[in-house]
Amino acid sequence: MAITLVNPSGLPEIGAYRQVAVATGSKLVFIAGQVAWDADGATVGATVGAGDLAAQVEQCYVNVGTALTAVGGTFEDVAKLTVYVVDWTPEKMPLFMEGVTRAAARLGTTPVAPGTLVGVAALDIPDHLVEVEATAVLDS
């Protein structure tokens, strides 16, 4: 495995992610921001969760997992996640974490790489509430 996740002393332990990722692999993978679409490109409706932040977070993480699998990786290879959430407020954290938890159950892993959550005014289309991008490092 090319990534070692660390919570250094002197920094708080955050349950949702680790503070530092140390990469030793040689193959960098940059995954474009994934929104809540399915394999057919549907962005709203029963399969994606129109207006449902938790469902959209789940789908975004599953899409990142699909991209990782396509290049021979897993969430254990992720060095950094960046999450963009429309109209973010701290009150949305339980819905966000519900989506991550559901995605982890579907993926069979818990994505805990260092991460940044950024509140944004809008994404590419009004139906998208969240977008997740990832950087991974794989052994070649």
Side-chain angles (χ1 to χ4, degrees):
M1 200 149 339
I3 300 292
T4 302
L5 301 177
V6 180
N7 271 327
S9 63
L11 294 177
E13 282 197 32
I14 308 295
Y17 63 90
R18 302 302 176 264
Q19 295 282 6
V20 177
V22 179
T24 57
S26 58
K27 184 177 181 180
L28 291 175
V29 178
F30 300 92
I31 298 173
Q34 296 298 304
V35 293
W37 51 25
D38 63 17
D40 297 322
T43 57
V44 296
T47 60
V48 178
D52 183 341
L53 180 61
Q56 289 199 20
V57 168
E58 177 183 2
Q59 187 64 47
C60 290
Y61 275 79
V62 168
N63 289 349
V64 169
T66 298
L68 287 164
T69 298
V71 296
T74 69
F75 265 97
E76 293 179 0
D77 300 306
V78 173
K80 177 77 166 66
L81 289 167
T82 304
V83 180
Y84 305 92
V85 181
V86 174
D87 297 326
W88 175 257
T89 63
E91 293 77 21
K92 293 182 179 180
M93 185 58 85
L95 290 172
F96 176 79
M97 292 308 299
E98 177 185 334
V100 172
T101 300
R102 290 179 358 201
R106 284 178 62 186
L107 295 165
T109 187
T110 301
V112 293
T116 300
L117 191 152
V118 181
V120 297
L123 292 171
D124 59 334
I125 64 170
D127 293 325
H128 290 158
L129 303 176
V130 63
E131 184 169 336
V132 178
E133 65 182 25
T135 301
V137 180
L138 284 67
D139 292 322
S140 34

